[in-house]
Amino acid sequence: MRMAGLTMVTRSRSRSRGSGAGPRGAGEEAAPVRKGEANAEGKKSHGPAKRQRKTQKLSVAYEASDNEKGEGAKLPEAPGWEPPDWQQQLVNIRTMRSGKDAPVDQLGAEHCYDPSAPPKVRRYQVLLSLMLSSQTKDQVTAGAMERLRARGLTVDSILQTDDSTLGALIYPVGFWRSKVKFIKQTSAILQQRYGGDIPSSVAELVALPGVGPKMAHLAMAVAWGAVSGIGFGAGKLGLQAWVWPPRPVMSQSPAAVDTHVHRIANRLGWTKTATKSPEKTRAALEAWLPRELWSEINGLLVGFGQQTCLPVRPRCHTCLNRSLCPAAQSRGGP
């Protein structure tokens, strides 16, 4: 019988049969009688012999399955914590987002590059759109990228553009003055160290001026087709052909989490305890959310946060999760 990946082996042991237990096999000799047994033989009572019920001893041993054998084999651990209603909540959000008509669906970083440009240039444009998108609405980022692309958006063209002109082109993105400096510094590094391309690892991307972990992981997904955590997946973007051979999925790096994801995860109760930062939310989500959903969840929740679960005055009355959302319940129920 196999239980929880372990094989239970049973062995029964009974006392050897005496002379009264049944006939011996043909040619089988009687066992020699010991001295103590001989004395007892002479003191047999003449009353009717009572046959004592013989008990069997059951010995149980557990045999590990093939993939659990070896030292340190442990019993399977119980599943960890997960939100009680998350599957139905996710189904409802997918339904509400089925129109794919949120700003992120048309104006996100994966839509801001020039599809006719060489792969190296497309990747550079993705990175710049991510740098511009920080603390900036998607519509504003898309406008800035359109103006930059109209002048020919390449590493060389950016390095040849003076700071005041570059500032005018990207304004009014958030912190535009700082972004002018970061874009120039990053472009110079890309030209000197990477031949005008962008790095293909998170560690190298976050080392660039003005590039944080969220931007790096989204760049890996959008530009390189590598899902390194909870962020945009590249499978739907048609960008996998940018890399040959395709790079393997990274497995041990922190993920990108948008502020919309941070807010919505806490409202839905998708974190075991309330989290205070997007990075804490990322860690809390990756602790329980199935990995096959990582590439979907960021874009799904960003659009949901742009249309329904707004930062201020969320539209709970139109939300399919109003009866399942702890935050909606605390505001007065459905």
Side-chain angles (χ1 to χ4, degrees):
M1 177 173 61
R2 183 170 294 272
M3 299 175 56
L6 302 176
T7 303
M8 186 175 76
V9 180
T10 61
R11 304 183 183 91
S12 62
R13 291 181 295 182
S14 61
R15 297 177 184 176
S16 60
R17 293 180 175 181
S19 56
R24 297 184 183 276
E28 185 179 352
E29 296 182 358
V33 180
R34 294 192 180 97
K35 182 177 180 180
E37 295 174 342
N39 293 336
E41 191 72 22
K43 298 179 180 179
K44 287 182 180 179
S45 63
H46 297 285
K50 293 183 180 180
R51 177 174 295 180
Q52 293 183 349
R53 187 173 182 179
K54 296 178 180 178
T55 60
Q56 290 185 336
K57 294 181 180 179
L58 184 66
S59 117
V60 180
Y62 289 94
E63 180 183 358
S65 58
D66 293 340
N67 59 345
E68 294 173 335
K69 290 182 178 179
E71 294 185 4
K74 298 179 179 179
L75 291 173
E77 296 182 0
W81 177 89
E82 65 179 29
D85 300 314
W86 75 270
Q87 292 179 330
Q88 186 58 52
Q89 290 169 334
L90 180 61
V91 169
N92 291 339
I93 293 173
R94 285 173 174 160
T95 300
M96 290 183 281
R97 291 277 288 114
S98 59
K100 298 292 182 183
D101 51 0
V104 70
D105 297 316
Q106 287 85 33
L107 305 173
E110 68 272 28
H111 302 290
C112 292
Y113 66 91
D114 180 1
S116 64
K120 184 190 299 186
V121 176
R122 294 202 298 263
R123 289 192 287 268
Y124 174 68
Q125 292 179 0
V126 168
L127 180 61
L128 253 64
S129 69
L130 290 169
M131 295 176 70
L132 293 174
S133 69
S134 176
Q135 302 296 315
T136 305
K137 291 184 177 180
D138 288 334
Q139 298 92 322
V140 176
T141 300
M145 285 296 295
E146 185 177 355
R147 293 189 293 273
L148 288 171
R149 286 171 49 194
R151 296 172 58 93
L153 182 52
T154 65
V155 170
D156 291 337
S157 68
I158 288 295
L159 292 176
Q160 293 169 9
T161 303
D162 60 80
D163 291 2
S164 61
T165 301
L166 181 58
L169 290 170
I170 69 173
Y171 180 85
V173 300
F175 303 99
W176 63 272
R177 290 184 178 88
S178 297
K179 290 178 181 179
V180 166
K181 178 180 64 175
F182 291 145
I183 288 172
K184 280 294 193 71
Q185 292 174 344
T186 291
S187 298
I189 293 172
L190 297 181
Q191 185 185 62
Q192 296 167 6
R193 301 181 187 176
Y194 300 97
D197 206 344
I198 71 171
S200 58
S201 72
V202 171
E204 292 174 292
L205 284 166
V206 296
L208 297 172
V211 179
K214 172 186 171 180
M215 300 176 202
H217 287 281
L218 293 179
M220 288 297 297
V222 177
W224 291 115
V227 179
S228 55
I230 297 178
F232 289 105
K236 300 179 181 178
L237 307 180
L239 304 180
Q240 191 69 27
W242 291 17
V243 189
W244 188 260
R247 283 171 168 75
V249 173
M250 298 172 63
S251 59
Q252 298 295 331
S253 51
V257 170
D258 191 275
T259 54
H260 289 287
V261 179
H262 169 57
R263 177 180 72 256
I264 293 169
N266 278 273
R267 285 179 176 176
L268 289 175
W270 282 12
T271 59
K272 191 172 183 179
T273 58
T275 55
K276 301 298 184 182
S277 68
E279 178 61 19
K280 296 287 187 181
T281 302
R282 185 274 312 167
L285 289 174
E286 289 190 355
W288 67 265
L289 188 69
R291 189 179 181 86
E292 59 267 23
L293 299 177
W294 287 10
S295 63
E296 174 192 13
I297 202 69
N298 196 85
L300 189 71
L301 294 187
V302 168
F304 180 58
Q306 291 175 334
Q307 294 181 308
T308 304
C309 197
L310 306 177
V312 180
R313 296 179 182 176
R315 298 165 182 166
C316 298
H317 63 286
T318 65
C319 181
L320 298 180
N321 283 326
R322 59 187 177 274
S323 63
L324 299 175
C325 175
Q329 295 297 310
S330 68
R331 289 184 175 89

